[in-house]
Amino acid sequence: MSDRETVVNITVNGQPVEAQPGEWVIAAAERAGVYIPHFCYHPRMSSVGMCRMCIVDIDAGRGPALQPSCMVEVSEGMVVDTTSEQTRKAQDGVLEFLLLNHPLDCPVCDKGGECPLQDQTMAYGPGESRFIEEKRHFEKPIPVNSLVYLDRERCILCDRCTRFADEVAGDPLITFQDRGDQTQVNTFPDLPFSSYFSGNTVQICPVGALTAVPYRFKARPWDLTEVESTYPNPMGDRVVVQASRDQVLRYQGVDSDAVNWGWLTDKDRFSFEATASELRLGSPLIRGTPLGRPDPGGSELVETSWRQALTLAADAIRGAVEDKGPQSVAVLGGARLTNEDQYAWARLVKGVIGTDNVDAQLDDGLPADVVLGLPRATINRSCTPGGTVILMAPDPKEEQGTLYLRLRHAVVNDGVQLIELTPRATGLSHLAAHRLHHRPAEAAAVAAALVGGDIDAGPDGEIGGVPGDALAAAAAALADRADKPITVIVGRPSLAETDGPTVDAVAELARFAKLLAAGGRPGIAFLPALHRGNVLGALDMGLAPGLLPGRVSLDDGGSALAQLWGAVPAAPGADARGILKAAANGHIDVLVLLGADPLGDFPDQDLANAALEAVGTIIASDLFLNPSSARAHIVFPAAGFGERQGTHTNMEGRVTRERQIVTSPGTARADWAIATELARMLGADFGFGSPEDVWEEITRVAPSHRDVSQEAIDAAADGAVVADSSIAFSPPEGPTSVPHVDAYSLRLVSTRRMYDRGTLFQHVPSLAKLAPNAVLALNPYDFDRVGVDSGTEVQVISNVGELDMPVVADPGVPRGTAAFGYNHPDLDVRALIDNDSVVTDLRIQT
């Protein structure tokens, strides 16, 4: 189509405006700089014309008439007048009706000062009310759930919250009830608004009807200072951080077209409570006597000065290197840091100390060449209308909530075809065009059949537990849309299996991607759905074995970087599992934990415990004491989100700003400053005086980041995407050998839940109680096979341990599979995971 055919010419208030075909009048006017007042309209949801506030004069060729601008599409030659006398009188009348029963308690309303109803009444409404009768009164507040309260008499029935719950979140748990002047928003009996996204309804509510419990009556808008920042999760959600009296009080979503569209999960939105926790670390700690004297064998952590803590850390590192060499020092973690923090630690560890034993992933991610060596998709590409998404990752609703919202919208509204290639159902299963729920650890065989086109089903008519006819239908559907973009969302689908089966499946899809690219088609791109916050930035900055900053390998970029750093490791080091094994065997003298908790988070709890027992010196940099840092010999208090400056890299490689708004508790410091000072004590001067200095060096030494200057990041509304990489994906030489499952066992799949016992989550009072207890979920078919009933307390046995727990029915769990969540507050699945096997098998007995 020509440009002329893709533009609709209209006139708004006498000025020519170029609109888009199918665009609402209100949206076209807003793009042209003309604001039309409204309450119910929201650009990310359907238009319903509920409030009638956006009524304006519209002439589509039959003469001017008052029409709701959120319900009228633009047409060629249309004339819109938003300032006519008829328009003003209509808006005045709408506001007068809305205020008939709306309480005029703005001084005590939590929305006062940032209320659209308040603002529009002043700008467009009557100067006084003619209504003198008693207004309606309702009981208040009504808990919609534990995080959101409803003041019913303030509700203007705009339908925003109910539309969000239904259309955006897919959780239609709140709706209009009753009729006439008794119409109200309410939940269904015995069914609360148990959504991971309920806090968004508070943000989009145009009046003070819905309020967030953690923020309720905490501050007034004019008391708040705010900065736009990036929340440190894998999506890199854009947020506004608001604070008062040097304390963070609220996170609000920013409508970033490339990322989160203004939405946030409740877990992220209300996590601000952790920043002000009384348990935050504010002073360095060392093993010592009650008088503060160092004592490596002491049973207590006592406060000390920064000088003494840094001196002890430097002495321990120096002694380990002199005694056993650089490889006796290892680092775990770093995904919670900014890019600048990660680079400073990478330079310290690899350039000064000389060890390559570094891993930001705790055996729950994917190899670096899988993440960095495959063509990277953007979130927008994944949601291309008419495209295909192959989901080969954990449930995005549980792990990457705003990605789930974007994918859901793409499937429901934009015709995206979703193919699930997962070991169990996800929050998107009911929307998937094809559900290929395979047996754990058998994804590669299903992926090969999906893209190979040759469905050679086994004797049971299935491949990897997927029926042959379902697989054939999915393969045909994929081939039919091969001329549209295909995105593979890849992650660790189960923590009860190694990464080998997933890498094998990726290799099959990568081969198919080359065939598509050779044929001139859009091909396949991959979107890594890893769990930890800034783990993609950690890989970019070299916090992985065999990697250097800038997505280059140690072999390819070592000589160039050695000129600036002075030295680089001589050979690739160990990953997290290798580090802990070396530590358990006495080969690691100093272990540095950068926001990492191996005891609470590493899949092999026994190995983590043995490693920490054997290490001579543990150095931790963290916000809180966790099970691992509580056993450290030296603990540095670190600055957290909202307390530091820097940048963040999200799953698509998008680099955006993370900004400071409050000071850190006590004397806590940013990690780049800790690493820089520690390097100085070891004889190296980085010359860093600010995060900006660190980033300037990154753009000089990291090939992939040379064009990503601070100015480039700030110039684009949504930051800058880093796409270059010299890392190449190396397919495995042979497929992972998956043991055959016997007729008496169930194969274990374990994935994370949104709410769990994570360190940060435990320090958010409003959320901590929402973490569910553990249950074992089976397909209803398997209950007769194993001889138990749903709800029964059973004994679950694996090769390495056993646990007692209730068993429940879940049709989303395939036959022959048992699902048990990871990191529950009551029972620990790690007691069952066989880390010496590719996948874990279970048996059940009453």
Side-chain angles (χ1 to χ4, degrees):
M1 297 177 67
S2 66
D3 291 341
R4 180 179 298 276
E5 291 174 309
T6 59
V7 170
V8 177
N9 296 290
I10 67 173
T11 301
V12 179
N13 293 347
Q15 300 297 319
V17 172
E18 290 187 347
Q20 301 168 0
E23 191 173 22
W24 300 124
V25 169
I26 189 173
E30 187 167 353
R31 283 195 305 103
V34 178
Y35 176 75
I36 298 177
H38 59 272
F39 296 113
C40 68
Y41 170 75
H42 192 285
R44 299 297 186 187
M45 296 185 288
S46 64
S47 291
V48 290
M50 295 281 286
C51 69
R52 318 307 280 185
M53 187 63 200
C54 67
I55 287 178
V56 294
D57 257 327
I58 299 177
D59 185 355
R62 298 183 178 181
L66 291 175
Q67 300 180 65
S69 57
C70 72
M71 297 293 290
V72 177
E73 292 185 5
V74 294
S75 60
E76 186 67 28
M78 176 181 285
V79 178
V80 179
D81 189 351
T82 71
T83 61
S84 69
E85 184 61 31
Q86 294 90 336
T87 298
R88 291 189 178 277
K89 184 173 179 60
Q91 292 169 345
D92 184 292
V94 168
L95 283 167
E96 184 174 19
F97 274 110
L98 287 177
L99 293 173
L100 288 181
N101 274 303
H102 190 89
L104 303 180
D105 59 350
C106 301
V108 299
C109 177
D110 223 31
K111 196 78 169 182
E114 57 181 7
C115 174
L117 178 59
Q118 201 176 40
D119 295 339
Q120 293 181 33
T121 298
M122 293 294 293
Y124 305 97
E128 59 183 355
S129 175
R130 292 176 289 175
F131 188 75
I132 60 173
E133 286 76 18
E134 182 73 12
K135 294 177 182 283
R136 292 181 303 176
H137 298 283
F138 293 101
E139 177 186 356
K140 57 181 289 189
I142 296 172
V144 178
N145 60 24
S146 62
L147 298 170
V148 178
Y149 280 175
L150 169 64
D151 290 330
R152 186 168 290 151
E153 72 277 7
R154 293 179 183 150
C155 179
I156 62 171
L157 304 179
C158 70
D159 199 28
R160 276 192 173 191
C161 58
T162 54
R163 272 181 293 149
F164 172 85
D166 184 18
E167 299 174 6
V168 179
D171 298 322
L173 301 173
I174 53 175
T175 186
F176 287 137
Q177 299 180 11
D178 300 329
R179 293 185 176 186
D181 66 348
Q182 295 300 307
T183 303
Q184 56 181 296
V185 171
N186 207 340
T187 58
F188 295 104
D190 302 320
L191 191 62
F193 189 22
S194 53
S195 170
Y196 291 153
F197 312 100
S198 64
N200 293 287
T201 63
V202 177
Q203 181 171 336
I204 63 176
C205 179
V207 293
L210 294 172
T211 55
V213 176
Y215 175 75
R216 189 175 170 92
F217 303 137
K218 292 290 179 65
R220 286 298 188 188
W222 51 84
D223 295 329
L224 299 173
T225 57
E226 65 180 38
V227 295
E228 188 172 323
S229 188
T230 304
Y231 192 84
N233 61 14
M235 274 287 286
D237 292 332
R238 300 293 295 160
V239 298
V240 166
V241 184
Q242 298 178 330
S244 179
R245 301 176 296 279
D246 203 31
Q247 180 179 340
V248 175
L249 294 180
R250 186 165 62 172
Y251 298 152
Q252 297 277 64
V254 171
D255 195 343
S256 169
D257 189 68
V259 188
N260 58 312
W261 284 11
W263 314 129
L264 294 175
T265 67
D266 290 351
K267 181 178 181 179
D268 295 339
R269 180 181 297 275
F270 299 117
S271 63
F272 71 86
E273 290 184 319
T275 63
S277 171
E278 296 180 353
L279 299 179
R280 278 290 303 276
L281 295 173
S283 301
L285 305 174
I286 60 171
R287 289 283 160 198
T289 67
L291 297 178
R293 295 176 181 174
D295 179 11
S299 61
E300 296 184 28
L301 283 170
V302 297
E303 292 188 4
T304 188
S305 66
W306 273 98
R307 175 177 290 276
Q308 185 171 39
L310 288 166
T311 299
L312 291 172
D315 289 345
I317 294 171
R318 189 182 297 111
V321 172
E322 292 174 353
D323 187 28
K324 294 184 179 179
Q327 296 306 310
S328 64
V329 180
V331 177
L332 289 176
R336 70 160 179 80
L337 312 181
T338 65
N339 294 326
E340 290 79 358
D341 296 331
Q342 293 163 346
Y343 176 83
W345 275 107
R347 182 174 176 183
L348 166 64
V349 174
K350 299 193 174 188
V352 178
I353 300 173
T355 180
D356 196 54
N357 292 330
V358 182
D359 197 353
Q361 303 184 80
L362 291 187
D363 204 35
D364 60 358
L366 294 171
D369 66 323
V370 174
V371 179
L372 302 179
L374 293 167
R376 184 83 64 89
T378 64
I379 298 167
N380 276 344
R381 183 191 192 275
S382 306
C383 300
T384 301
T388 297
V389 170
I390 301 176
L391 180 63
M392 201 168 67
D395 188 348
K397 189 172 185 179
E398 298 287 348
E399 293 211 24
Q400 286 93 21
T402 46
L403 176 62
Y404 161 80
L405 297 181
R406 290 293 309 272
L407 291 174
R408 186 183 186 280
H409 181 276
V411 173
V412 172
N413 298 283
D414 297 327
V416 169
Q417 173 181 246
L418 176 65
I419 299 176
E420 277 194 333
L421 207 163
T422 58
R424 65 169 300 181
T426 74
L428 289 167
S429 290
H430 66 291
L431 299 173
H434 302 277
R435 294 176 286 277
L436 310 179
H437 296 154
H438 56 81
R439 281 190 297 267
E442 298 189 35
V446 179
L450 176 66
V451 300
D454 183 14
I455 311 300
D456 184 15
D460 296 328
E462 62 179 30
I463 296 177
V466 179
D469 56 349
L471 196 45
L478 182 63
D480 287 344
R481 294 204 188 185
D483 59 338
K484 294 281 189 177
I486 300 172
T487 301
V488 179
I489 300 177
V490 60
R492 284 287 289 277
S494 172
L495 297 176
E497 63 184 64
T498 65
D499 61 14
T502 302
V503 175
D504 291 343
V506 168
E508 297 292 344
L509 295 171
R511 281 190 277 269
F512 184 57
K514 290 182 179 180
L515 292 175
L516 291 177
R521 296 182 177 183
I524 297 179
F526 295 79
L527 188 65
L530 304 183
H531 169 67
R532 301 180 185 276
N534 192 18
V535 64
L536 279 303
L539 296 180
D540 283 355
M541 295 301 109
L543 289 184
L547 280 185
L548 293 173
R551 301 181 183 177
V552 297
S553 67
L554 193 60
D555 295 333
D556 295 337
S559 58
L561 195 59
Q563 297 179 6
L564 174 68
W565 282 9
V568 293
D575 61 8
R577 184 169 292 276
I579 288 170
L580 292 177
K581 285 183 177 179
N585 292 327
H587 301 310
I588 301 294
D589 281 1
V590 176
L591 179 62
V592 181
L593 303 176
L594 301 179
D597 178 19
L599 287 178
D601 212 10
F602 189 75
D604 192 338
Q605 187 177 22
D606 292 337
L607 176 59
N609 187 62
L612 268 61
E613 285 285 349
V615 170
T617 302
I618 301 172
I619 302 170
S621 173
D622 217 321
L623 310 179
F624 300 93
L625 284 180
N626 56 47
S628 298
S629 59
R631 291 169 61 169
H633 300 86
I634 304 164
V635 181
F636 297 128
F641 177 61
E643 303 164 357
R644 62 194 183 192
Q645 294 279 118
T647 56
H648 175 92
T649 303
N650 78 346
M651 59 175 58
E652 58 186 350
R654 186 177 302 276
V655 179
T656 47
R657 291 281 190 187
E658 188 177 316
R659 292 187 170 89
Q660 179 180 0
I661 190 171
V662 296
T663 55
S664 304
T667 60
R669 298 182 182 180
D671 272 272
W672 71 265
I674 299 173
T676 299
E677 186 63 18
L678 197 52
R680 187 186 66 80
M681 290 193 158
L682 292 171
D685 183 6
F686 290 170
F688 298 152
S690 68
E692 289 73 22
D693 293 341
V694 184
W695 189 257
E696 191 278 330
E697 181 169 301
I698 292 171
T699 59
R700 284 192 290 113
V701 306
S704 59
H705 288 62
R706 283 178 182 157
D707 296 328
V708 190
S709 64
Q710 297 174 44
E711 292 74 20
I713 296 172
D714 293 335
D718 297 309
V721 176
V722 178
D724 295 334
S725 177
S726 65
I727 302 293
F729 170 59
S730 301
E733 294 182 359
T736 302
S737 178
V738 180
H740 179 71
V741 60
D742 62 57
Y744 303 99
S745 297
L746 297 167
R747 192 141 276 179
L748 175 62
V749 57
S750 183
T751 55
R752 299 179 188 270
R753 299 289 303 270
M754 176 74 73
Y755 300 147
D756 57 15
R757 63 173 182 182
T759 300
L760 189 69
F761 186 80
Q762 291 181 53
H763 293 91
V764 180
S766 297
L767 298 175
K769 57 182 176 293
L770 298 179
N773 288 333
V775 294
L776 190 73
L778 306 181
N779 188 284
Y781 167 85
D782 287 321
F783 280 89
D784 289 337
R785 188 164 72 89
V786 299
V788 297
D789 296 322
S790 182
T792 305
E793 188 86 9
V794 299
Q795 186 177 45
V796 185
I797 305 171
S798 73
N799 288 338
V800 297
E802 58 185 51
L803 288 174
D804 294 334
M805 71 187 75
V807 61
V808 298
D810 186 347
V813 177
R815 294 181 180 185
T817 299
F820 183 1
Y822 194 83
N823 214 21
H824 280 290
D826 56 337
L827 296 177
D828 196 338
V829 70
R830 295 181 299 170
L832 299 174
I833 295 177
D834 184 356
N835 290 278
D836 294 325
S837 178
V838 173
V839 66
T840 298
D841 288 336
L842 304 176
R843 296 200 179 193
I844 296 175
Q845 66 183 35
T846 56

